Amino acid sequence: MNATKIFLNEQDMPKQWYNLAADLPKPPLPPLGPDGNPVSPDMLAPVFPMNLIEQEVSTQRWIDIPEKVLELYNLWRPSPLYRAKRLEEYLGTPARIYYKNEGVSPAGSHKPNTAVAQAYYNKEFGIKRLTTETGAGQWGSALSFACALLGLECKVFMVRISFDQKPYRRLMMETWGGKCIPSPSSETNAGRKILEENPDTPGSLGIAISEAVEAAVTDPTGGTRYSLGSVLNHVMLHQTVIGLEAKKQLKLAGESKVDIVIGCAGGGSNFAGLSFPFVADKINGADIEIIPVEPSSCPTMTKAPFSYDFGDTAEMTPLLPMHSLGHKFVPPPIHAGGLRYHGMAPLVSHAIELGLLSPRAIHQLECYEAAMIWARTEGFISAPETSHAIAATIQEAKRAKEEGKEKVIILNWSGHGLMDLTGYEAYMNGKLFDYPLPEEEIKKSIATMAHLPKPSLA
Amino acid sequence: MTKYDELVKRCPMLGHQINFKYCRSVSPQSPCRKILDCWFEQIPIQQYISENYDTEVINKLMIPPKPKILSILELVEQAKAVKQE
């Protein structure tokens, strides 16, 4: 088969999501409180419906995708699998490179995969309204879109300065019927307090999150919940439709074996979405290299030891098992906002510790160079986060050329960068720089965790 | 304190351009917690911070972002307190 795009019929879309927690050789460790006890899932009940919390803690391997969600996925799914022929030619590689194009969703990224599912489960639970926060508006627009499909109200607290300066995402939300409110607002106690102190404040993401959570928790009717687009297990679960589709499409393309799976890893959902179904194959003996990619300037997966770490420098928050550079670590700057997390998602950390993933760090200049090559060969302009996966793909394709091997590589092209072109502008104007983290700085930071308990995987 | 206010760059959290004034005045008490990350290659930001903020604020700046789930649990507790008032 020599097609550029490999499609699945709607009826061939996976009917179940895959839950990696069921197959890990050793179960994932629960988040611990400062007293050493696991955090109870009941604590999440004020903000999430119980059916999603059940998914959050589920160890069931396959979870049925409701008919209604499948029907809504049909609007853009199954997403096409592309063969990156022009990139292969440019690189002169014997590797066959495939990418899952998640930029075809109405909101332009993978995020509606979970937004639609979350809106559905909230509606099933009797919820009438969802709240969330947004900066530039990517998640806010995905959730507004999902709520429009399910007939839910959607209230998005958008940081005031973004509300004023970034009107197009706001208009997307409003077009889908979302109520977009500049934050801080007079609708919440948190917002009013800030406005009293500083009526002209431009707002912040922290304030917007506070408002969104407060609006959900304090609704006297009990009909409002909060929605989150990354990090949590149920979010990753919903995204596995990406990898499950990809496996079917690779078979249609005539590929009997995949050698390398690549995704950028920040909150973890787009990486998990493509890779977790392949991780299952690896657990069952398949020889696959699975690569989460992170920025070299903030290497939480590639250089840090696996340890329980505090979530803050004040050491007040519960302990989570994660790859961490230590809670006193402050990462250098980078222009891919979605990848700026202190600690990787615990489930991804666990899979790394079990040897199932091979994380890699790449400098931002190499990522932008890769994104430019991609745009000039494959045509699509990538989100800055997605450029990390492209850079790793190019590295592997070049390695295949050196080794003379016909490897099969697949990456998750998680979204377009058409509303995030300022990073490209900075790159093209020579305003971006690489900042390798000195080894001494890493060692010093890791030493701050020496007294903390270590997780046992035995 | 205002000498860098007109400098412009893309905010990685918000996803669009902002000027330095936003970074230093995002809250009345302290600058954005990412101010060191975002500006050190363009201006002597550590010197700027040490000249304009006290130790308490500087220590606060060194606090990295919390895992999101933990932040949410804290906010739930705060919201519950508001509901009870």
Side-chain angles (χ1 to χ4, degrees):
Chain A
M1 187 172 179
N2 197 29
T4 298
K5 297 189 292 295
I6 298 104
F7 294 103
L8 275 185
N9 291 319
E10 289 177 6
Q11 63 266 28
D12 294 327
M13 199 194 317
K15 303 293 187 291
Q16 294 174 311
W17 292 300
Y18 170 66
N19 183 6
L20 180 64
D23 285 327
L24 287 169
K26 291 175 178 121
L29 298 166
L32 301 179
D35 59 357
N37 293 318
V39 172
S40 163
D42 290 345
M43 294 161 74
L44 298 171
V47 278
F48 301 118
M50 199 47 71
N51 46 18
L52 282 177
I53 294 171
E54 283 167 7
Q55 288 187 355
E56 184 66 21
V57 298
S58 174
T59 53
Q60 190 181 319
R61 181 175 293 109
W62 296 102
I63 294 179
D64 289 343
I65 304 176
E67 275 299 321
K68 181 68 179 175
V69 174
L70 287 171
E71 178 192 320
L72 297 174
Y73 275 177
N74 279 340
L75 288 172
W76 74 97
R77 305 208 72 84
S79 67
L81 180 75
Y82 278 67
R83 172 92 181 265
K85 291 179 184 174
R86 287 174 54 82
L87 178 66
E88 291 171 16
E89 286 167 16
Y90 174 86
L91 296 171
T93 178
R96 295 191 291 283
I97 301 170
Y98 295 88
Y99 61 99
K100 199 64 172 140
N101 186 344
E102 290 298 306
V104 297
S105 77
S109 75
H110 65 293
K111 288 182 184 287
N113 296 335
T114 187
V116 165
Q118 290 190 44
Y120 168 81
Y121 283 110
N122 272 282
K123 185 166 186 178
E124 283 293 293
F125 194 68
I127 298 305
K128 307 290 184 200
R129 182 189 301 111
L130 290 178
T131 65
T132 196
E133 78 286 347
T134 202
Q138 195 180 47
W139 170 243
S141 54
L143 191 65
S144 295
F145 159 67
C147 286
L149 299 184
L150 270 305
L152 292 177
E153 290 177 41
C154 183
K155 188 179 274 191
V156 181
F157 291 90
M158 188 174 193
V159 180
R160 171 93 235 180
I161 192 170
S162 309
F163 185 91
D164 291 339
Q165 293 187 15
K166 190 95 173 163
Y168 300 114
R169 284 277 182 192
R170 169 165 62 85
L171 288 168
M172 284 172 72
M173 289 181 244
E174 290 173 350
T175 301
W176 280 314
K179 187 175 180 190
C180 185
I181 300 161
S183 170
S185 74
S186 57
E187 296 203 5
T188 67
N189 193 58
R192 285 189 294 272
K193 199 173 165 189
I194 299 288
L195 287 173
E196 274 170 27
E197 291 168 3
N198 185 7
D200 298 322
T201 178
S204 71
L205 211 50
I207 297 168
I209 296 168
S210 301
E211 290 206 277
V213 171
E214 185 184 320
V217 174
T218 59
D219 177 3
T221 71
T224 304
R225 289 293 184 276
Y226 170 72
S227 184
L228 182 64
S230 63
V231 178
L232 300 184
N233 292 345
H234 68 267
V235 178
M236 288 189 258
L237 175 81
H238 300 154
Q239 295 292 354
T240 59
V241 68
I242 302 170
L244 294 167
E245 283 179 3
K247 287 173 83 167
K248 289 187 172 190
Q249 288 163 310
L250 285 166
K251 273 186 190 162
L252 287 177
E255 301 294 355
S256 56
K257 182 183 183 306
V258 177
D259 297 290
I260 300 167
V261 178
I262 296 171
C264 63
S269 72
N270 95 65
F271 168 73
L274 176 67
S275 71
F276 279 7
F278 291 95
V279 174
D281 293 345
K282 186 163 184 167
I283 289 168
N284 290 310
D287 181 18
I288 308 175
E289 188 173 13
I290 302 170
I291 306 172
V293 192
E294 66 179 0
S296 288
S297 53
C298 188
T300 59
M301 294 184 294
T302 49
K303 292 190 178 180
F306 190 68
S307 168
Y308 283 111
D309 188 14
F310 288 99
D312 62 0
T313 53
E315 303 187 351
M316 294 294 287
T317 59
L319 297 166
L320 272 176
M322 64 177 78
H323 283 265
S324 172
L325 288 172
H327 51 285
K328 292 186 175 13
F329 172 67
V330 178
I334 192 161
H335 280 242
L339 296 179
R340 293 290 314 276
Y341 286 91
H342 169 54
M344 183 52 61
L347 196 58
V348 175
S349 287
H350 190 62
I352 294 170
E353 185 63 16
L354 293 171
L356 298 167
L357 311 178
S358 309
R360 181 174 302 177
I362 302 182
H363 290 298
Q364 64 174 343
L365 286 185
E366 186 177 342
C367 293
Y368 271 107
E369 184 187 357
M372 297 293 284
I373 291 170
W374 185 271
R376 293 173 187 186
T377 54
E378 293 304 309
F380 295 108
I381 294 174
S382 311
E385 292 86 347
T386 310
S387 71
H388 287 73
I390 296 170
T393 299
I394 290 176
Q395 287 181 353
E396 287 303 318
K398 286 180 175 173
R399 181 176 302 173
K401 184 180 180 180
E402 287 165 13
E403 295 172 350
K405 290 182 179 171
E406 286 190 22
K407 292 183 180 175
V408 174
I409 302 171
I410 181 168
L411 73 144
N412 195 10
W413 195 80
S414 52
H416 69 67
L418 298 177
M419 297 216 181
D420 201 9
L421 292 169
T422 50
Y424 283 87
E425 184 182 32
Y427 172 76
M428 287 187 275
N429 290 336
K431 290 180 178 173
L432 294 183
F433 305 92
D434 284 334
Y435 302 96
L437 198 64
E439 286 294 330
E440 272 311 303
E441 203 174 314
I442 292 175
K443 282 180 189 166
K444 231 163 53 181
S445 183
I446 288 170
T448 64
M449 296 192 298
H451 66 291
L452 298 175
K454 304 293 179 198
S456 169
L457 292 169
Chain B
M1 192 166 198
T2 60
K3 63 181 173 180
Y4 301 120
D5 274 5
E6 298 310 312
L7 291 178
V8 173
K9 77 177 305 168
R10 176 180 177 275
C11 171
M13 291 176 75
L14 299 178
H16 58 85
Q17 289 199 316
I18 42 89
N19 57 32
F20 183 81
K21 186 181 178 185
Y22 175 76
C23 306
R24 72 164 176 79
S25 61
V26 64
S27 101
Q29 292 80 27
S30 60
C32 174
R33 61 181 165 78
K34 289 181 183 284
I35 196 168
L36 289 164
D37 292 359
C38 290
W39 288 98
F40 81 86
E41 80 273 32
Q42 284 171 262
I43 59 176
I45 186 65
Q46 288 181 328
Q47 184 186 338
Y48 174 88
I49 293 294
S50 59
E51 284 174 0
N52 291 289
Y53 297 95
D54 60 29
T55 308
E56 190 182 346
V57 172
I58 293 169
N59 285 340
K60 200 176 162 191
L61 283 178
M62 301 309 287
I63 299 173
K66 292 172 188 172
K68 213 155 194 172
I69 187 70
L70 301 179
S71 304
I72 290 168
L73 290 175
E74 287 180 6
L75 292 173
V76 167
E77 291 309 308
Q78 287 173 25
K80 280 182 181 171
V82 170
K83 200 175 181 180
Q84 285 168 355
E85 279 172 10

